[in-house]
Amino acid sequence: MRFVKFEPEHLLALRPQEAQRPHLEWMTPEIAELASEHFSFTGYGHNGEMIGCAGLAPVEDGSLVAWAVFGAALLKYRLSVTRAVKAGLDTHAGHRIIAHIHTDHANAARFAEALHFKLIETRSDLHPSGALMHVYVREGA
């Protein structure tokens, strides 16, 4: 597996995994451009297939918001992806990091919990569709 700096066109080229596909209205080209200005990366498998894109971006209160979009290849590389994402999070250990996870995406919730995020609340005002989203937080060390 190899990782490269995230570029906006990576997100636009990625075919998201089925569980994320219905909830990506917020991931516009403009948001992808903004995401590329902060800590973010794209992972590729051994055969060149794109596994996913992930990163962190600052929010108004000084926290960071974590984001990730993965393709179907995630399952083959889940251990490598988990290690890479954990390493990225650990480089920002002094920050409060927030993740918004759709309530129907149980695998994403387990992934967040494996990365030491804690569920703090569920809200309906975070996603453009009004969908219920879990708010997970990983406190800075």
Side-chain angles (χ1 to χ4, degrees):
M1 201 174 153
R2 70 181 174 91
F3 298 94
V4 299
K5 181 185 179 319
F6 170 76
E7 298 293 340
E9 57 271 14
H10 296 168
L11 188 62
L12 304 175
L14 178 65
R15 180 169 163 80
Q17 63 182 322
E18 191 62 41
Q20 286 184 295
R21 206 168 294 144
H23 309 290
L24 289 178
E25 296 94 352
W26 56 270
M27 200 49 106
T28 63
E30 294 80 16
I31 294 294
E33 185 69 39
L34 289 171
S36 72
E37 297 174 7
H38 303 287
F39 175 80
S40 53
F41 58 91
T42 301
Y44 290 90
H46 303 296
N47 64 358
E49 67 188 324
M50 190 183 304
I51 298 163
C53 308
L56 299 169
V59 290
E60 296 82 26
D61 70 357
S63 300
L64 298 172
V65 65
W67 64 272
V69 180
F70 294 112
L74 174 63
L75 291 178
K76 283 194 288 190
Y77 297 96
R78 63 184 172 264
L79 184 56
S80 296
V81 168
T82 301
R83 287 179 179 157
V85 171
K86 183 180 182 315
L89 291 169
D90 288 349
T91 66
H92 295 83
H95 292 88
R96 180 175 194 256
I97 302 173
I98 302 164
H100 303 131
I101 298 173
H102 192 278
T103 56
D104 290 342
H105 198 349
N107 287 341
R110 283 191 292 279
F111 182 60
E113 290 166 1
L115 295 167
H116 308 291
F117 281 85
K118 304 289 183 224
L119 176 62
I120 60 166
E121 65 182 332
T122 302
R123 295 174 50 179
S124 63
D125 62 333
L126 298 171
H127 193 274
S129 70
L132 285 175
M133 303 291 286
H134 288 314
V135 178
Y136 280 83
V137 173
R138 187 182 203 250
E139 295 294 340

